[in-house]
Amino acid sequence: MYDFSEDSVLLCLSSEPYDGEEYIRDYDEYLKRLEAYVVEKYNEQGYLENIRATEYHRIALAMYSLGGNPENILTGAASINLIYDGVFDFHGGSPGLQGTNGLIYALMAADAKQYTELENSINTRQTLINELLLNQGENGAFSLDPNLGGDYDITAMALQALAPYKEQPEVNAAIEKALF
């Protein structure tokens, strides 16, 4: 079996039929453990991650798919908002600090439930889109790093993240370039 993180497996398996003997079955217990992990990281360092923005997005998507609320993880007197902290006000600045993957997953996390951008957000959906479009190669492909050749997997993920914005002429042109 592949060595995936538990939340990645849950993200996929929560909507697919599977053999319950092989994977985590108690989603509620896992959700509690995931929330405890986030609270522990915030208590230790004040944030979840400062370079790997996808740590926020991966956990937020898993929580959302399991019925949790990534915008309101209770820590006692306060709450943690993984969408705001990992997408719109990422500790490291742009989620693109991690590379194209950070931008792709930021859009996917923001759009999972049409989460609201706050007025004072560092990043908006549009700034994420614009930065992602800058990472498209001359041949239309996307890669983890714009200085590398194109990658089918990353291109497919970029197209998935950009699809909700295909009415924007620049986005539609990028999608067309990647497909044809």
Side-chain angles (χ1 to χ4, degrees), residues 104 136 140-143 150-160 178-179:
I104 291 168
Q136 186 173 31
F142 291 85
S143 65
D151 180 278
Y152 294 112
D153 181 47
I154 299 299
T155 300
M157 291 168 34
L159 293 177
Q160 181 181 0
L179 293 174

Side-chain angles (χ1 to χ4, degrees), residues 109-179:
D111 291 339
K113 191 181 170 193
Q114 292 301 309
Y115 292 107
T116 304
E117 298 171 8
L118 300 179
E119 221 174 276
N120 59 345
S121 299
I122 294 171
N123 303 301
T124 64
R125 284 177 173 82
Q126 193 59 54
T127 61
L128 296 170
I129 291 166
N130 294 344
E131 191 174 347
L132 179 55
L133 292 177
L134 293 174
N135 288 292
Q136 186 173 31
E138 287 296 318
N139 66 354
F142 291 85
S143 65
L144 287 175
D145 180 312
N147 297 315
L148 301 174
D151 180 278
Y152 294 112
D153 181 47
I154 299 299
T155 300
M157 291 168 34
L159 293 177
Q160 181 181 0
L162 291 170
Y165 307 98
K166 65 184 178 204
E167 299 306 318
Q168 294 181 23
E170 303 84 19
V171 172
N172 191 49
I175 291 171
E176 294 289 322
K177 186 176 181 180
L179 293 174

Side-chain angles (χ1 to χ4, degrees), residues 2-180:
Y2 297 101
D3 185 24
F4 295 116
S5 65
E6 291 177 350
D7 49 313
S8 296
V9 171
L10 284 171
L11 182 63
C12 295
L13 296 178
S14 64
S15 63
E16 295 289 327
Y18 67 96
D19 181 353
E21 307 259 334
E22 293 184 29
Y23 299 102
I24 299 166
R25 187 76 166 159
D26 189 345
Y27 292 163
D28 292 334
E29 179 60 31
Y30 183 76
L31 189 55
K32 289 177 191 170
R33 288 187 2 227
L34 193 55
E35 289 173 344
Y37 168 77
V38 170
V39 170
E40 178 184 330
K41 286 294 189 184
Y42 270 77
N43 286 340
E44 287 175 4
Q45 56 195 30
Y47 53 87
L48 190 58
E49 175 65 49
N50 65 347
I51 295 175
R52 294 178 314 162
T54 55
E55 186 76 358
Y56 288 91
H57 313 143
R58 182 176 53 81
I59 291 173
L61 287 166
M63 289 182 73
Y64 176 65
S65 71
L66 296 173
N69 184 356
E71 289 186 295
N72 190 26
I73 301 169
L74 300 177
T75 64
S79 73
I80 296 168
N81 184 333
L82 291 180
I83 300 299
Y84 184 75
D85 292 353
V87 176
F88 301 122
D89 193 29
F90 177 55
H91 185 76
S94 168
L97 176 66
Q98 181 182 353
T100 307
N101 232 15
L103 299 165
I104 291 168
Y105 276 97
L107 283 170
M108 292 169 76
D111 291 339
K113 191 181 170 193
Q114 292 301 309
Y115 292 107
T116 304
E117 298 171 8
L118 300 179
E119 221 174 276
N120 59 345
S121 299
I122 294 171
N123 303 301
T124 64
R125 284 177 173 82
Q126 193 59 54
T127 61
L128 296 170
I129 291 166
N130 294 344
E131 191 174 347
L132 179 55
L133 292 177
L134 293 174
N135 288 292
Q136 186 173 31
E138 287 296 318
N139 66 354
F142 291 85
S143 65
L144 287 175
D145 180 312
N147 297 315
L148 301 174
D151 180 278
Y152 294 112
D153 181 47
I154 299 299
T155 300
M157 291 168 34
L159 293 177
Q160 181 181 0
L162 291 170
Y165 307 98
K166 65 184 178 204
E167 299 306 318
Q168 294 181 23
E170 303 84 19
V171 172
N172 191 49
I175 291 171
E176 294 289 322
K177 186 176 181 180
L179 293 174
F180 304 104

